[in-house]
Amino acid sequence: MRKKLQTLREGAGYTQQTFSERLGVSRSHYAQIESGDKNPSLKLSLKIKQALGYPYDDLFFNPKRPISRH
């Protein structure tokens, strides 16, 4: 899942630093999102999708993490 994010970012010609600057977040915060340690807010996830030109909703889906049923 997060590998897809990295692949899309690199394919668009961004480093983590340049992409995080475009999004208006720190590189370390973005790196934690890309590694799966943090989940982006809805607002940030929409910014990421827009910046990458990614039209689908599965960008942040992680099949290895259980879905909370609470």
Side-chain angles (χ1 to χ4, degrees):
M1 179 266 324
R2 303 300 171 146
K3 183 67 176 169
K4 182 188 303 185
L5 184 55
Q6 178 183 358
T7 301
L8 289 168
R9 174 184 54 77
E10 290 173 347
Y14 291 106
T15 64
Q16 282 188 344
Q17 182 65 43
T18 58
F19 196 58
S20 64
E21 288 171 359
R22 169 141 188 209
L23 298 172
V25 298
S26 70
R27 191 212 53 82
S28 63
H29 181 75
Y30 177 76
Q32 290 174 324
I33 292 169
E34 195 170 281
S35 70
D37 292 334
K38 285 190 176 182
N39 290 316
S41 66
L42 177 58
K43 183 177 179 179
L44 183 55
S45 64
L46 292 173
K47 278 180 144 180
I48 291 169
K49 284 178 50 173
Q50 182 181 33
L52 295 173
Y54 191 79
Y56 308 106
D57 291 332
D58 67 341
L59 189 56
F60 300 103
F61 176 69
N62 186 353
K64 294 182 181 180
R65 290 181 87 178
I67 298 173
S68 175
R69 302 284 183 204
H70 299 112

